Amino acid sequence: MFEAYLIPIRYAILTFPIAAFVITLPFLIVQYRKYGYLHKFRAVIIYSLLLYLMTALYLVILPLPATRNTCAAVQGAMASFVPFRFVYDFWKETGVHFAQPSTYVQLFKERAFWQAAFNVLLLVPLGAYLRYYFRFRLPAAAVSAFGLSLFFEVTQVTGLYGIYDCPYRLFDVDDLLLNTSGGVIGYLAAPLLMKLLPRIEGLDENVDLKSERVGLTRRLIAVQLDAMLLFPLVVFFMKSADLRIYFITSFLYFIALPYATNGWTFGKYIVRIRVKGQGERIRLKELLIRYGSLYGIVGGLNAVILSQTVQKLPPILFALCAMIVLLVNLVFAVHVGLRLFRKDKTLIYEKWSGTGHEVV
């Protein structure tokens, strides 16, 4: 009997890395935007919540039918709206007699008991998460548990929202009651767990954002967001191979814009960092050296190799230009890679320009 519960857990563990990869970028953006930095314990809580929710979902929907045509297997009604029916069925079908305590041990041998128990336990962790991390009050936690349970039941009764021709599991109001009760129990029991864990509201105490080091991961996210914003212009450049588009865009977005906003671009604004120079306000000279080196030399060479002029060169000259660009890219990649493993993560163009990043 317990094997049926272990299979979904295994699938959850196997597919968790994929789900974790998908949510990592949004998670980091929210953390940087909301708190100004990433707290490792907060990350552990969120990813453990993700693993728990995946496990709960798999426990509800697995095993899947072998065929999409499930209508032939459906026998009788696929919904039960009579509350506490499981109690009546339990006392009717099992060997337990209320007046004979000696028969109570039979509870642990009955499938009906374990099915009801697991329905309660399914959302106990949710109640604990809602109280400890999200700071929900009891009514909100109960409604949330009911909502998640309702989502599970609807998922089943709709045959995974139309993937299967007919429902392959019963929509049972008792499941809603048991799941919601489990969420409430988890909420009420959460203080026992909270004594062992740090206070969520105290994680950010004594954190000086000005002293927080801006890591390369955070900077990479800002670059990704900037690239998403500029993607239409990148496509236009790739089609036209007009160098003017690249250099004008680079100057306006990475030099003129940060100069006007004192270090901001769209991506940097989202993750709450800005480019800073030697003074209170970033200077145009600092930006010209910083981004002239990065987007003028490194990025510029890559843009040139894609331009119409270079592509029309004789094959031997084009190959020579391509080798030069490849060498520059390799040197820059090695430089960035080495900085990842050093305490001083200042990149070469930052040293030349005397600029860096700060959390705001």
Side-chain angles (χ1 to χ4, degrees):
M1 178 178 64
F2 292 103
E3 181 66 20
Y5 295 102
L6 293 177
I7 293 175
I9 295 174
R10 292 174 188 154
Y11 276 106
I13 294 174
L14 289 174
T15 57
F16 170 73
I18 300 174
F21 175 79
V22 171
I23 76 159
T24 291
L25 181 59
F27 168 72
L28 290 175
I29 291 174
V30 170
Q31 295 301 303
Y32 289 141
R33 187 68 198 158
K34 184 175 182 180
Y35 302 104
Y37 77 113
L38 175 64
H39 197 290
K40 293 180 180 179
F41 182 75
R42 191 177 278 119
V44 170
I45 293 295
I46 291 297
Y47 281 99
S48 66
L49 173 61
L50 173 65
L51 178 59
Y52 155 67
L53 290 176
M54 291 178 62
T55 302
L57 177 61
Y58 287 173
L59 284 168
V60 169
I61 67 174
L62 296 180
L64 297 175
T67 176
R68 290 185 59 189
N69 184 18
T70 55
C71 294
V74 174
Q75 297 179 358
M78 290 306 297
S80 174
F81 297 102
V82 179
F84 302 107
R85 178 81 185 187
F86 76 96
V87 177
Y88 172 78
D89 292 339
F90 179 79
W91 291 110
K92 178 181 177 182
E93 297 174 6
T94 66
V96 177
H97 299 285
F98 184 74
Q100 300 178 17
S102 61
T103 64
Y104 290 177
V105 71
Q106 297 294 325
L107 284 172
F108 303 102
K109 300 179 181 180
E110 299 292 345
R111 181 181 181 87
F113 168 79
W114 287 111
Q115 185 173 356
F118 280 123
N119 271 322
V120 173
L121 292 173
L122 184 65
L123 295 193
V124 167
L126 177 67
Y129 276 108
L130 293 177
R131 181 166 188 174
Y132 172 66
Y133 185 79
F134 296 100
R135 314 303 296 171
F136 277 25
R137 295 187 179 277
L138 180 57
V143 171
S144 299
F146 177 82
L148 182 59
S149 177
L150 182 62
F151 166 73
F152 288 158
E153 294 300 310
V154 171
T155 300
Q156 291 176 328
V157 80
T158 58
L160 291 186
Y161 303 98
I163 294 179
Y164 296 95
D165 295 339
C166 292
Y168 63 93
R169 288 193 180 180
L170 176 72
F171 179 100
D172 195 343
V173 70
D174 281 341
D175 289 349
L176 294 175
L177 295 173
L178 293 170
N179 291 163
T180 304
S181 299
V184 172
I185 292 172
Y187 181 93
L188 296 176
L192 298 177
L193 177 66
M194 293 164 66
K195 291 181 179 179
L196 305 175
L197 299 175
R199 295 182 303 111
I200 286 295
E201 61 273 19
L203 292 181
D204 305 315
E205 293 178 354
N206 303 319
V207 174
D208 182 10
L209 293 180
K210 289 294 183 181
S211 64
E212 282 290 315
R213 180 174 296 175
V214 179
L216 293 180
T217 300
R218 190 168 187 169
R219 294 168 59 178
L220 179 60
I221 294 173
V223 170
Q224 290 178 309
L225 294 172
D226 287 331
M228 291 169 59
L229 183 66
L230 297 175
F231 184 73
L233 290 174
V234 173
V235 173
F236 186 43
F237 166 68
M238 296 292 290
K239 286 188 174 183
S240 65
D242 188 342
L243 282 174
R244 292 174 297 180
I245 297 174
Y246 173 80
F247 285 108
I248 291 174
T249 300
S250 298
F251 176 81
L252 291 178
Y253 191 81
F254 294 106
I255 296 177
L257 178 62
Y259 180 69
T261 60
N262 196 22
W264 298 96
T265 63
F266 169 74
K268 295 182 191 302
Y269 175 78
I270 294 299
V271 298
R272 290 181 59 180
I273 60 175
R274 74 175 185 91
V275 178
K276 66 179 183 69
Q278 298 300 309
E280 287 295 323
R281 181 168 182 81
I282 192 77
R283 292 185 298 166
L284 182 60
K285 177 182 177 182
E286 293 171 326
L287 289 168
L288 285 170
I289 297 175
R290 177 187 177 89
Y291 289 120
S293 303
L294 180 60
Y295 295 109
I297 298 177
V298 180
L301 287 174
N302 284 273
V304 167
I305 203 68
L306 298 173
S307 67
Q308 296 175 351
T309 303
V310 174
Q311 290 180 3
K312 292 178 180 179
L313 291 174
I316 186 66
L317 293 179
F318 179 80
L320 179 61
C321 291
M323 288 297 295
I324 293 173
V325 173
L326 181 61
L327 180 61
V328 171
N329 288 338
L330 181 61
V331 171
F332 184 71
V334 170
H335 168 64
V336 173
L338 291 175
R339 289 298 169 183
L340 286 173
F341 300 99
R342 292 184 180 179
K343 186 175 181 180
D344 180 12
K345 301 186 182 299
T346 306
L347 299 176
I348 187 66
Y349 61 85
E350 294 178 309
K351 289 185 177 180
W352 290 345
S353 61
T355 60
H357 284 92
E358 69 174 359
V359 180
V360 291

